[in-house]
Amino acid sequence: MVLHPTDPFAVLAHGIGSQHDLPISPFYAFAGAFAALFVSFLALGLLWSTSRFRGERSGLALPAGLQRVADAPATRTALRGLGLAAALAVLLHLLLGPDDPAHNPAPGAVYVLLWVGLVPASLLLGPVWRLLNPLRTLHRLLSRALRRRGSGPDRPLPARLGQWPAAAGLFGFTWLELVAPDPASTTTLLIALATYATTQLLLAARFGERWFDDGDAFEAYSALLARLSPLGRRSDGRLVLRNPFHGLDATPERPGLVATVCVLLGSTAYDGFSDNPSWINALQTSPLGRTPAATLGLLASIALVATLYCLCAAATRLVSGPHPGPLTAFAHSLVPIALGYLIAHYFSLLVVEGPRTVSMALGTDNAPEPAPPLGPGALSALQVIAVVTGHVLGVVAAHDRSVRLFPPAKAVAGQLPLLALMITYTVGGLSLLLN
């Protein structure tokens, strides 16, 4: 159920609401999760001895006519115009609309349609935010107005920078959503969006349009989730239908990739924990104050996820032998886990608040009250299935990478730390859901 209380301490998760779903039996949830992980691990060890994923070399080419439509300048211009128009509409609602998320669609547009809506959009259509991103469009328009190049970096991006800017941007957004004292306030959103847009445009002016690929948090977020999309691009540029595991296998091993995924996992875990009555009480009674204490809690959650992964990478290297990139080699296996957590925590928020936000944006003064999309048992089952499936897919991705990197005698043994990590994440994720 999505609530809209007036007590500022009543809702500490999400920018505009929080969900409180009744759990299913913890015994069956944990038993099913452990069984799925162990059975998949044993089956892969016995039956999967060579790497089967081919990254960007795979995929069934779609008809040439469909690709011409998708790549046509008119199509891309229309999508850029749509993204820019939506951004202007949100800005107008923030400037002229009431400072009340129950009657202003702007907070829902940011925290639900953008943040949560990018998940299904990227899974179905690929990295859509790259075409919709209004900041990329503004950069092009400003570059043309100033008679500068609209694409290509003005200065080379440092290779060591990688996705670290995106990880920092994602942390800033999740802090705004989960920690900020009044995240749905029009003033708060205006300041945050103006600061982010100004920073992005200044950096794009320095480094060129390529900056948005890794520097824009939402483009990196959309591109990472799109690795699991059945739509993709082959290395020759063809639009293809593919096994999502092939797209996941093609995830570039870049600096900041681990940080980006850990921010997604850690912030979602904190989102689930922030509804715990003991944590709410701790925030209310903390001598530091609510915002500093909540900030430390968010940082601790992300740090815990990252520390566990780093320990797992070190153990894998110890068991299987040295590897030049132990941290990034298996980072792609965390993406389906992050997706499972996102679905589990945000599904009801999207299907309830999404239509309500659209209704308000279309001018309905009395938008209908949110209604649960599923019964408590069905919704809890969906959450558990999403978390467990994400971990099983992570085991599959990690196994395929392991048999490619390590000798056969060490490939399975090298996955034992990864299996321990998956079990730990599963226990933590289900504990938060079933709390």
Side-chain angles (χ1 to χ4, degrees):
M1 295 180 293
V2 180
L3 308 177
H4 298 276
T6 56
D7 181 0
F9 291 108
V11 171
L12 302 176
H14 309 301
I16 60 170
S18 180
Q19 60 186 37
H20 304 274
D21 304 315
L22 296 178
I24 62 176
S25 168
F27 173 80
Y28 291 114
F30 283 110
F34 293 154
L37 287 173
F38 278 112
V39 169
S40 61
F41 177 77
L42 292 175
L44 291 169
L46 294 173
L47 304 175
W48 198 311
S49 58
T50 59
S51 176
R52 302 183 183 184
F53 302 146
R54 295 181 293 130
E56 293 180 342
R57 295 172 295 165
S58 67
L60 176 65
L62 292 174
L66 182 60
Q67 175 151 354
R68 283 196 297 269
V69 172
D71 293 339
T75 303
R76 294 176 176 266
T77 300
L79 291 173
R80 294 189 188 104
L82 177 63
L84 188 59
L88 290 175
V90 171
L91 180 61
L92 288 175
H93 281 291
L94 288 174
L95 290 172
L96 305 177
D99 192 7
D100 179 4
H103 298 92
N104 191 329
V110 174
Y111 294 120
V112 180
L113 298 183
L114 173 60
W115 177 243
V116 186
L118 268 181
V119 176
S122 301
L123 287 177
L124 293 174
L125 303 174
V128 293
W129 191 246
R130 193 177 193 279
L131 293 176
L132 295 171
N133 189 354
L135 297 180
R136 187 184 283 268
T137 303
L138 279 176
H139 170 71
R140 288 192 174 191
L141 294 176
L142 291 172
S143 296
R144 291 174 182 174
L146 297 174
R147 295 185 178 179
R148 296 179 56 191
R149 290 181 300 168
S151 61
D154 293 347
R155 299 186 184 184
L157 280 166
R160 64 181 181 276
L161 199 61
Q163 289 189 332
W164 280 104
L170 286 173
F171 173 78
F173 181 83
T174 54
W175 181 91
L176 177 69
E177 181 194 22
L178 303 175
V179 175
D182 195 4
S185 164
T186 55
T187 301
T188 300
L189 276 173
L190 278 171
I191 294 174
L193 294 178
T195 301
Y196 183 78
T198 301
T199 302
Q200 290 290 312
L201 290 174
L202 288 175
L203 289 169
R206 178 181 177 86
F207 295 110
E209 190 174 337
R210 183 185 171 190
W211 164 262
F212 294 105
D213 293 338
D214 292 317
D216 185 278
F218 299 102
E219 281 204 17
Y221 171 60
S222 175
L224 197 60
L225 295 173
R227 292 291 171 183
L228 287 166
S229 172
L231 285 177
R233 297 272 181 178
R234 269 195 328 225
S235 54
D236 60 2
R238 286 300 301 269
L239 190 64
V240 296
L241 281 176
R242 65 186 180 189
N243 181 337
F245 276 114
H246 292 301
L248 183 63
D249 185 67
T251 304
E253 297 180 27
R254 307 194 58 197
L257 172 62
V258 174
T260 301
V261 181
C262 287
V263 168
L264 286 177
L265 280 171
S267 61
T268 308
Y270 176 79
D271 184 3
F273 179 70
S274 62
D275 278 338
N276 189 293
S278 61
W279 179 246
I280 295 175
N281 182 66
L283 292 182
Q284 292 175 330
T285 58
S286 172
L288 297 175
R290 177 199 171 275
T291 301
T295 301
L296 290 177
L298 177 61
L299 286 170
S301 180
I302 296 171
L304 177 61
V305 170
T307 300
L308 290 174
Y309 177 76
C310 290
L311 289 175
C312 170
T316 299
R317 186 172 185 175
L318 182 65
V319 172
S320 300
H323 184 269
L327 281 179
T328 56
F330 295 94
H332 70 299
S333 65
L334 299 183
V335 176
I337 300 175
L339 174 61
Y341 284 163
L342 288 169
I343 293 173
H345 284 275
Y346 296 130
F347 170 79
S348 61
L349 188 72
L350 177 63
V351 299
V352 170
E353 288 292 342
R356 186 174 184 274
T357 299
V358 173
S359 178
M360 280 193 291
L362 295 177
T364 303
D365 293 332
N366 297 315
E369 287 298 322
L374 298 173
L379 191 53
S380 295
L382 173 66
Q383 292 174 322
V384 172
I385 290 171
V387 170
V388 174
T389 301
H391 284 85
V392 171
L393 296 181
V395 169
V396 174
H399 177 84
D400 187 85
R401 183 63 57 88
S402 182
V403 297
R404 180 189 307 169
L405 295 178
F406 303 124
K410 295 183 177 181
V412 175
Q415 293 178 70
L416 291 175
L418 288 166
L419 177 62
L421 178 69
M422 300 297 179
I423 292 175
T424 303
Y425 282 168
T426 302
V427 170
L430 293 181
S431 298
L432 291 174
L433 287 177
L434 302 174
N435 188 348

